Amino acid sequence: MHIPRLRGRDREQQTIAELQAGAAGGVGGALLLHGDLGGGKTALLRHAAAGTPDGTVHLWATGLEEESDLPYAGLQSLLQPVVERIADLPDHQARALTRALSGEGCAADDRLALSMAVLTLLATLGREQPVLCCVDDADALDRPSLDAIAFTARRVRAHRVTLLLTSTGELPLNGVPRLPLRPLDPQSGRALLADLLHHPGADEEPRMWGVRGVRPGDEVLTALAALGGGNPRALTDLAASLSDSQLAGEAPLPTRLPADSELLRTYRARLDRLGPDTRWLLLLAAADEETDAAGLMRAAHSSGVDIAALAPAERGGLVRVSRGGIVFPQPIARALAYEEAPLAQRRAAHLHLAQVLDGDTERLRRAVHLAAAAHGPDAELAEELEEAATGGGYSRASAALEHAAQLTTEPGGAASRLVTAARYAWQSGSAGRARSLLRRARPTVRDRVVSAESEVLSGEIELRAGATANAAESLLTIVDRLAGTERELAVLALMRAGEAVCFSGDYPRYADVASRAAALRRPDDPPELEVVFEHIAGFAYTFGGRHHRAIRPLRRVVELGAVLDTAAPLTCASAAALLLADDVGAHRLAARAVEVARESGDVSALPLALEMTAYAEYWLGRYDAAAATSLHGLRAARACGQGNYAGDHQAMLAVLCAIRGDREQALRHIREIEVAPGTGQTNRPKALSQWALAVLDLIAGRPADTVARIAGIACPVTGRGHIVVQAMATPWLVEAAVRADDREQAVAALAGFDLWAASTGDPVRRALSARCHALLAPRGSAEAEQHFQQALALHLAGEADFEQARTELLYGQELRRARRPRDAREHLHRALETFLQLDAPAWADQARAELRAAGEAVDTPAVRAADVLTAQQLQIVRLVCEGATNREVAAQLFLSPRTVDHHMRNIFARLNIRSRIELAKALA
């Protein structure tokens, strides 16, 4: 399949490009790319070769196991295209190299001459044209060839030669820089799959956006990306195997690589070359994911096998032994090591591992191995698994209960265990597996409670990873059905329904949630239920604008969350504290929720807890911390399959970038937002994105667009939309409305914000309210000055330094326009100082502009080229400053003119300049 770009390999491509540019300029270099089979090492070599200018000498060799015992076979393959140039070498070097390449070998005292011959040959070629040597799978080369190539790699710096090597197994090449290739992150994996399905090979038809218009949803891409484990070759093989019905989500997705997978064949070939003792040790490691090196050594010793037998598998890249345990580079490697073994041998491995494990301290692991070795249903062993599962982590417990279900003969009991396994799988972060287990359980569920648990869990998964709007409706239906019989489950479903309403922006439906909660509530409810009822009541009052009535239930939620001290109540308490404007308390509660979730292993609770943490940090003015938290939340949400909450975090990152004035990064985050279809027209990521775009519009001088965007986040007539996000963005709307002379819109928006700010008593929100009133007051009036002074006084009691600086900036603008430049400069200086401290250049530029308008000369700080440009860009800048044209630069650095044009545009943007004259000054 055609791959239009290498996804997730920007760092590696940049490193190679800089190495090639240096070689073109006379400073050669070598690099060893080390990574797993199928990790994209060969693709990087091909990409490097494809990007070289015309005339470059290309030399390529690939290590082959079949030739690893033929001395100098690899060197002969590498130098074959230039063998006629050996005659140009000094006689002694030419003879040594000729003998080696012709199969006559190399005497021990000629080895240095041979290595020097390879270096001299490449250096000679480099004097005429740049040379690119690519040695793929260098760990499979014959040793003499590897020694000669390694000798050369350490000495190419003085020549116009780039030498790139790749290896899967360990390759001791002292003196040669190494660059490890890590698995693709989930986002890059999904992007690669989209590329593969959208851009077929020359002999294929488009698989995604073709005539049939088959377009897989995010769930399909996410599931395949997880199955591929970040391995480009695995993802390529999976994409090639999909049918149209699988793409459309109408047929089950594959659960393993196809039988004709190229990666599968490569692993199998390496596995087939191993001896029986090595295969046995691999099987023991593959049969237990928790086996560490010490455990494997015990198992090996008790079975009479020397642990040294594992070495060939390590050299072949099939397994790695680290301090953390036995690591298979790919899930497929583990699966293959296990499944290629005969059934009897697999059973023997499980029985052997059960024998060496301690029945008290390793009860669950031992039971799992006994279950895997069981001949058929076993009620006693199933009960043992279920009991032992309570003492393990969620992932282990889920696997144990799935085994227990397989050992259970009664269909209803098996279904109950599968539903519990699904709950544990969801909490461990495996959304796809949880869905699969629920599907398996559904046909055999007999018990009403088990059926209800299954439906509530399905609704929760759909809420966070699917069609949120549909989830809200289905969860409310479940509440009505369970209210009279299973009240606790009904309350849980009601809480999730409220969560779905808040995410999708369908706030009028929250009244339905509140009315059902009132009907379900009892005076003697335990704290676990009371916290839900108080949460719903407080939120309902807030959404209805009755902020003073919301205070009591919200405060009770905060109290109960701290007492219960589990992730869900703590997260609820944090959200309640945010509505109360207790940002410090909200941060403390959310941080505790994150801590508890990690300690318990409930990773499904992390995305929402981290979202509350980021909101608290935003209101506290800790934008760097909020960005770091949102990035962590984005990764956590993606890792556990919660695509909708990943969208929240991505959109919050866009807001934070926009507030800093970083337009490029804000737009990038918005483009990368991926939420499932059916999340509602006004879902939260969309609302946050509109806020981010509105801020960018205001910075760019388009206040009317800002007003339209923020006003569109929620509708005051229908109540639909994200009123909470709109409230957070209201100070920006008021400022923009004043600039756009749309005071009516500003007054209407500010009324609701004032009610909230006044009810909380929070100095930051009251300061923002006072600032907004100052902007609405007549220019130059005593009223405007009074409100500005009130805002600044309130800011002193808060922690939001950025908002205080914005108030100083706006007050300085007001004073300057009121012809009070001296007073204006005092506030503008304070604003500029804070913006510089917070690294907000767009706002610092505005403060400088106002200072200049107020009569003060302010120099724009120069950007140092060395601080913001790459090594290759600096090379281009130096040549341009010496008078070279873009075409001349391209010829000298062996780049294409188009590449140089692209670099020049980026250079001008990074240095904030517009001409080559300014470029020379920036370099100086």
Side-chain angles (χ1 to χ4, degrees), residues 92-225:
H92 186 50
Q93 293 181 11
R95 283 194 301 273
L97 185 54
T98 300
R99 282 199 299 268
L101 299 186
S102 62
E104 297 178 27
C106 179
D109 54 358
D110 279 342
R111 287 174 57 195
L112 179 59
L114 172 65
S115 299
M116 282 300 302
V118 177
L119 177 62
T120 305
L121 178 58
L122 296 182
T124 301
L125 295 169
R127 283 194 288 272
E128 301 165 6
Q129 296 286 357
V131 177
L132 174 64
C133 292
C134 296
V135 183
D136 204 11
D137 294 333
D139 48 331
L141 285 175
D142 60 278
R143 188 70 208 192
S145 291
L146 181 60
D147 289 342
I149 292 170
F151 177 92
T152 304
R154 299 184 192 101
R155 292 164 174 81
V156 295
R157 184 170 176 79
H159 310 289
R160 291 207 301 171
V161 176
T162 303
L163 208 164
L164 303 176
L165 305 98
T166 73
S167 74
T168 300
E170 288 299 321
L171 191 62
L173 286 184
N174 295 329
V176 178
R178 297 164 58 93
L179 183 62
L181 263 65
R182 312 209 181 278
L184 299 181
D185 60 79
Q187 181 184 353
S188 297
R190 290 193 299 272
L192 174 58
L193 284 166
D195 288 343
L196 290 164
L197 296 167
H198 182 51
H199 298 283
D203 58 344
E204 301 175 62
E205 293 183 1
R207 301 294 306 282
M208 188 184 295
W209 293 282
V211 176
R212 293 186 52 189
V214 179
R215 183 189 185 112
D218 294 333
E219 182 181 335
V220 173
L221 296 178
T222 299
L224 291 174

Side-chain angles (χ1 to χ4, degrees), residues 761-783:
D762 171 57
V764 172
R765 289 159 182 79
R766 289 171 58 212
L768 294 176
S769 173
R771 185 175 83 194
C772 291
H773 282 284
L775 293 171
L776 288 167
R779 178 169 295 168
S781 66
E783 181 187 354

Side-chain angles (χ1 to χ4, degrees), residues 245-264:
S245 58
Q246 286 175 317
L247 282 170
E250 298 165 357
L253 292 172
T255 57
R256 55 176 301 166
L257 288 177
D260 62 348
S261 161
E262 183 179 327
L263 184 61
L264 196 63

Side-chain angles (χ1 to χ4, degrees), residues 474-519:
S474 64
L475 284 164
L476 287 174
T477 302
I478 293 168
V479 171
D480 294 338
R481 191 168 67 251
L482 299 179
T485 56
E486 303 298 333
R487 199 168 72 91
E488 288 190 14
L489 272 174
V491 173
L492 176 60
L494 195 59
M495 183 68 187
R496 297 299 177 227
E499 188 181 332
V501 165
C502 290
F503 181 88
S504 61
D506 191 9
Y507 281 98
R509 294 301 306 274
Y510 209 87
D512 297 335
V513 175
S515 64
R516 286 170 170 82

Side-chain angles (χ1 to χ4, degrees), residues 793-804:
L794 287 165
H795 275 308
L796 293 176
E799 296 185 37
D801 292 343
F802 176 81
E803 290 296 354
Q804 181 175 347

Side-chain angles (χ1 to χ4, degrees), residues 503-683:
F503 181 88
S504 61
D506 191 9
Y507 281 98
R509 294 301 306 274
Y510 209 87
D512 297 335
V513 175
S515 64
R516 286 170 170 82
L520 281 170
R521 191 165 189 174
R522 302 285 184 274
D524 58 346
D525 279 325
E528 293 81 5
L529 297 185
E530 184 187 358
V531 71
V532 174
F533 291 127
E534 295 286 21
H535 174 92
I536 291 172
F539 273 54
Y541 285 135
T542 299
F543 299 153
R546 293 174 288 177
H547 299 288
H548 288 287
R549 294 200 64 181
I551 292 175
R552 190 204 61 78
L554 291 176
R555 285 178 177 168
R556 182 60 179 156
V557 173
V558 171
E559 293 171 7
L560 290 169
V563 170
L564 292 169
D565 201 36
T566 56
L570 284 164
T571 303
C572 287
S574 176
L578 284 169
L579 291 184
L580 291 168
D582 178 9
D583 303 319
V584 173
H587 189 268
R588 183 183 64 254
L589 290 162
R592 177 58 185 162
V594 171
E595 183 182 5
V596 169
R598 285 186 181 139
E599 288 174 353
S600 66
D602 185 3
V603 298
S604 68
L606 281 175
L608 189 56
L610 287 165
E611 189 170 346
M612 295 303 110
T613 308
Y615 291 148
E617 288 164 343
Y618 164 80
W619 280 112
L620 289 168
R622 303 173 190 172
Y623 294 164
D624 285 341
T629 299
S630 292
L631 185 58
H632 185 189
L634 174 62
R635 291 169 179 161
R638 284 176 173 165
C640 63
Q642 296 186 22
N644 294 337
Y645 283 172
D648 277 354
H649 286 288
Q650 191 94 61
M652 191 61 192
L653 284 167
V655 170
L656 294 165
C657 288
I659 288 173
R660 285 190 178 280
D662 190 344
R663 179 181 182 82
E664 182 179 342
Q665 288 300 313
L667 294 177
R668 180 181 67 81
H669 285 302
I670 291 172
R671 284 194 300 270
E672 291 177 359
I673 292 173
E674 299 174 356
V675 294
T679 51
Q681 288 294 319
T682 53
N683 59 68

